Amino acid sequence: MEQGPSKTSESILHHEEKVKGNSSLACITPDPERFGTLEKLRAVQKRVLNFLQGICKRPCREQLMNILTINRDVETDAVFIRACQEEEFPEEIRCLNQGHGITNRKSKLFKCTPYLDELGVLRIKGRIDRIEGVDMDTKRPIILPQKHRVTFLIVEYYHRKNYHLHNEIVVNEERQRYWITGLRALVRKVANACVACRIRVARPTPPKMADLPKERLSPHTQPFTFTGVAHLKSQWAAGTRRDGAFVARRGVPRTILSDNGTNFRGASRVLKEHIERISTSAVEQQYPTLEFKFNPPSSPHMGGVWERLVRSTKSILSEIWPKAGLKEEVLRGAFADVEQILNSRPLTYVPLESAESEALTPNHCQGQF
């Protein structure tokens, strides 16, 4: 039994791409949505024109022939700019090709004086044609729509060309060649989308501040009940000795706070050893609540309350005795002056118009307890 011819199936693979818009140059213009910079779009457009110049043998229309004979890279922009204009302003270009003016009052170009140049690019006429030494782009700038990708790439190029500087610089550079509706809004949009600018102006989000420690929230307690200690190492303290004068004047504090300086850590260890050796019931009864606390490591801000007063102390000392090498007696007198000045600083705001009010100072608290 003879078998019939076998049937074979053939499939043809091909690529189809829909041309967006109704531009006559859309078939020879790369899709600007696929490019991130104007330089890349220019390079691809130049390759397309070079390819067309090699294969195009038959006569073309005058405008297309002018486009294919473009040599300078800067003139390559006319191809995708014209395609951009034909997508956004088809009715206006049709009216101009027919020799009519724009009659649609809703058109963005109704109040302008647009025309088509020899390449078919839409430009706006001005009143400075007689000026000499000025480019045609400045005399008659190219019209560009605000929301097209080509316009975005052009503005982004000038934004990078001017090193991400102030937006008004970019606006001024754009207006030398282009007429763009809503230019300032577009420049702001480009700057907001620029990664380099976003990194440059970025600010870290501050963490949520924790609650204040109980030492800062202790009303009806004597001054220096909670005491912060800082190491004042400077030329004024050279050759001085250490003793318990603070405690003798202000009393024994309940809590002493300090940072993690090696001197404070060492002093804490030595004090613990001595206290354990001489610990008696009388000592425990006399100092029942004395506690020495250290701030967490790498957190100098937790001692900012007394560190700010240390800065004020050093500033006053530098004005009283700018020279180095003070003896102990002179240094004690200087610290007494510093104490008086700091305790006289106002803690509340007093308006100048009020003659009866008095500013609250730390000196007001000296005799309250």
Side-chain angles (χ1 to χ4, degrees), residues 150-319:
V150 170
T151 311
F152 183 91
L153 294 179
I154 292 175
V155 175
E156 193 269 343
Y157 167 76
Y158 280 92
H159 176 74
R160 288 185 288 106
K161 181 180 178 182
N162 291 277
Y163 302 101
H164 310 268
L165 291 179
H166 196 269
N167 292 346
E168 287 300 317
I169 299 178
V170 182
V171 171
N172 181 63
E173 291 294 324
E174 289 284 343
R175 294 183 64 181
Q176 304 301 317
R177 188 180 182 189
Y178 303 101
W179 187 87
I180 304 175
T181 58
L183 177 57
R184 283 187 171 85
L186 180 58
V187 171
R188 288 194 300 267
K189 179 180 178 181
V190 171
N192 294 334
C194 178
V195 177
C197 291
R198 294 174 64 181
I199 294 176
R200 178 170 53 87
V201 302
R203 296 292 181 270
T205 303
K208 182 180 179 181
M209 297 187 67
D211 296 338
L212 293 174
K214 65 178 182 179
E215 291 82 7
R216 298 279 303 278
L217 305 171
S218 300
H220 308 295
T221 56
Q222 294 184 1
F224 297 97
T225 300
F226 304 99
T227 304
V229 180
H231 179 56
L232 181 61
K233 181 179 180 181
S234 64
Q235 64 270 26
W236 305 290
T240 60
R241 61 186 178 88
R242 308 292 187 264
D243 53 26
F246 171 76
V247 176
R249 296 178 60 189
R250 303 296 182 184
V252 179
R254 185 185 304 174
T255 304
I256 299 178
L257 301 98
S258 73
D259 54 21
N260 287 269
T262 56
N263 51 345
F264 293 131
R265 283 290 184 182
S268 176
R269 178 178 54 79
V270 172
L271 287 176
K272 286 182 179 179
E273 294 176 356
H274 284 280
I275 290 175
E276 291 177 357
R277 187 166 59 251
I278 65 173
S279 178
T280 60
S281 59
V283 176
E284 293 178 357
Q285 291 177 2
Q286 186 176 1
Y287 308 110
T289 59
L290 179 59
E291 183 182 7
F292 204 100
K293 286 185 178 181
F294 291 98
N295 292 332
S298 302
S299 57
H301 61 279
M302 298 192 67
V305 179
W306 59 84
E307 291 290 353
R308 182 61 184 86
L309 292 178
V310 170
R311 176 184 173 184
S312 300
T313 301
K314 296 177 70 174
S315 299
I316 299 173
L317 282 176
S318 64
E319 295 295 330

Side-chain angles (χ1 to χ4, degrees), residues 7 33 75 148 182 200 258-259 266 312 322-323 354:
K7 297 182 179 180
E33 298 291 342
E75 294 178 350
H148 200 276
R200 178 170 53 87
S258 73
D259 54 21
S312 300
K323 302 295 183 180
S354 178

Side-chain angles (χ1 to χ4, degrees), residues 54-219:
I55 66 172
C56 188
K57 303 299 182 181
R58 59 182 181 178
C60 305
R61 291 184 303 172
E62 181 180 359
Q63 287 187 353
L64 182 57
M65 182 58 65
N66 293 335
I67 290 176
L68 294 180
T69 56
I70 288 177
N71 294 322
R72 295 195 305 166
D73 293 339
V74 68
E75 294 178 350
T76 307
D77 297 359
V79 183
F80 50 79
I81 285 178
R82 176 179 164 181
C84 160
Q85 293 173 341
E86 290 179 354
E87 290 181 12
E88 296 294 328
F89 307 113
E91 295 297 328
E92 291 83 348
I93 294 177
R94 182 181 59 82
C95 293
L96 293 175
N97 284 326
Q98 295 177 356
H100 306 299
I102 299 176
T103 57
N104 186 6
R105 293 181 175 271
K106 296 182 179 180
S107 174
K108 297 179 180 180
L109 308 181
F110 176 74
K111 295 182 179 180
C112 305
T113 55
Y115 79 101
L116 299 175
D117 63 5
E118 65 277 1
L119 296 178
V121 177
L122 193 60
R123 294 177 178 268
I124 185 171
K125 292 182 180 179
R127 302 175 61 188
I128 59 174
D129 289 343
R130 296 182 180 180
I131 190 172
E132 298 180 357
V134 179
D135 295 337
M136 179 58 64
D137 292 336
T138 304
K139 296 179 181 179
R140 300 184 176 186
I142 299 174
I143 299 175
L144 287 177
Q146 179 189 16
K147 298 182 179 180
H148 200 276
R149 179 65 179 178
V150 170
T151 311
F152 183 91
L153 294 179
I154 292 175
V155 175
E156 193 269 343
Y157 167 76
Y158 280 92
H159 176 74
R160 288 185 288 106
K161 181 180 178 182
N162 291 277
Y163 302 101
H164 310 268
L165 291 179
H166 196 269
N167 292 346
E168 287 300 317
I169 299 178
V170 182
V171 171
N172 181 63
E173 291 294 324
E174 289 284 343
R175 294 183 64 181
Q176 304 301 317
R177 188 180 182 189
Y178 303 101
W179 187 87
I180 304 175
T181 58
L183 177 57
R184 283 187 171 85
L186 180 58
V187 171
R188 288 194 300 267
K189 179 180 178 181
V190 171
N192 294 334
C194 178
V195 177
C197 291
R198 294 174 64 181
I199 294 176
R200 178 170 53 87
V201 302
R203 296 292 181 270
T205 303
K208 182 180 179 181
M209 297 187 67
D211 296 338
L212 293 174
K214 65 178 182 179
E215 291 82 7
R216 298 279 303 278
L217 305 171
S218 300

